[in-house]
Amino acid sequence: MNIIIFGGNNSTEFIIKNLMNNGDKVVLVNPDYDFCYKITDRYEVVSFCEDEINELVFKKAKADKADLVISLYDNDADNLIICEYAKKVFHVKTTYSIVNNPDNIEIFNKLGVDQCISVSTIINQMINQTNIELGIEKYFKKLNNNYLVRELQVSKKSEFINKKLWELNLPDSCNMISIFRNNEIIIPQGNTQILQGDRILLLATPEALDYLPKMKISVANL
């Protein structure tokens, strides 16, 4: 893909490194001359040191050829304008933006930014998810010591992938409580399909947990 990154800081280097390793073509637009020089020198990335973003900068970065624009400025207004400008003027198909104030995520979504990245929201979701897991574990420990709560990681080798819950033939004493997928919590039903990367919370007896490795499933203690 042809990708333009506006803004960012030293941590942006890791994003650029991964994109280049994936074979993507990256253009960097950043106000910091030293950062631009370092990125160009290390990764042979085309960079433009610009304090002000305008139509000429978009043209120099060849926005009309870009598949993706990523905006990583500290100011949400700047990020929104860049994403809007990329879509409406240069018809860039996909835009990602960091959103520093989580209250602004809704307006970013309404105005067509495809992916909003909010660090504070991600951290809150992780904390809430951990609290849910710990709460379930404590509840069932009080209820019955014969059952254990464990987390199941669905790797690419798992026999669970793309199967529906009713197709798994799990032991009767092994029940799925919830599925964590892309920061969402899914209450599994019979027709729920399991996907690679899912994290599944299980309630099971020790005997049932011993059965799971035979299905190439790894189970982790919470």
Side-chain angles (χ1 to χ4, degrees), residues 91-212:
H91 309 292
V92 177
K93 185 177 178 181
T94 307
T95 55
Y96 293 177
S97 174
I98 195 164
V99 182
N100 301 284
N101 182 349
D103 293 339
N104 292 331
I105 291 177
E106 184 176 356
I107 190 169
F108 271 63
N109 287 329
K110 284 183 177 178
L111 292 176
V113 177
D114 297 286
Q115 291 288 342
C116 298
I117 307 154
S118 168
V119 174
S120 57
T121 299
I122 291 171
I123 291 174
N124 281 331
Q125 288 172 339
M126 292 171 66
I127 292 172
N128 289 336
Q129 185 171 304
T130 301
N131 287 339
I132 290 171
E133 293 170 354
L134 293 175
I136 291 172
E137 185 188 25
K138 288 179 181 177
Y139 174 78
F140 281 107
K141 275 185 175 177
K142 290 179 180 178
L143 188 67
N144 192 332
N145 287 329
N146 293 325
Y147 279 83
L148 302 172
V149 178
R150 292 291 182 267
E151 181 182 296
L152 183 156
Q153 303 279 354
V154 182
S155 68
K156 62 181 180 182
K157 295 181 179 179
S158 170
E159 294 182 8
F160 279 19
I161 292 177
N162 296 327
K163 287 186 177 178
K164 294 181 179 178
L165 181 56
W166 66 267
E167 295 177 304
L168 299 180
N169 295 319
L170 291 173
D172 292 338
S173 55
C174 181
N175 294 285
M176 287 191 186
I177 303 171
S178 60
I179 299 173
F180 299 99
R181 179 184 298 162
N182 299 327
N183 295 321
E184 292 185 1
I185 300 175
I186 299 170
I187 305 301
Q189 307 294 326
N191 285 326
T192 301
Q193 191 173 36
I194 308 301
L195 302 180
Q196 181 180 338
D198 283 351
R199 294 170 54 217
I200 298 173
L201 207 60
L202 288 174
L203 174 68
T205 62
E207 294 77 17
L209 291 174
D210 289 340
Y211 171 80
L212 292 176

Side-chain angles (χ1 to χ4, degrees), residues 1-4 24-26 62 65-69:
M1 286 199 299
N2 294 320
I3 301 171
I4 305 174
D24 297 309
K25 294 181 179 178
V26 178
K62 297 183 179 179
K65 306 293 184 185
D67 302 296
L68 170 65
V69 161

Side-chain angles (χ1 to χ4, degrees), residues 13-78:
E13 178 176 350
F14 300 107
I15 299 174
I16 293 172
K17 182 180 179 181
N18 286 332
L19 291 173
M20 296 296 289
N21 287 338
N22 290 337
D24 297 309
K25 294 181 179 178
V26 178
V27 174
L28 173 68
V29 179
N30 193 288
D32 187 331
Y33 175 83
D34 291 336
F35 181 64
C36 289
Y37 182 86
K38 180 177 73 173
I39 294 299
T40 297
D41 185 53
R42 290 184 179 176
Y43 305 103
E44 298 184 351
V45 165
V46 175
S47 65
F48 299 100
C49 180
E50 302 286 352
D51 289 318
E52 184 179 345
I53 306 303
N54 52 38
E55 184 175 357
L56 179 60
V57 174
F58 274 87
K59 287 182 176 177
K60 287 198 299 184
K62 297 183 179 179
D64 58 325
K65 306 293 184 185
D67 302 296
L68 170 65
V69 161
I70 303 173
S71 190
L72 302 173
Y73 285 99
D74 293 333
N75 187 308
D76 283 351
D78 290 340

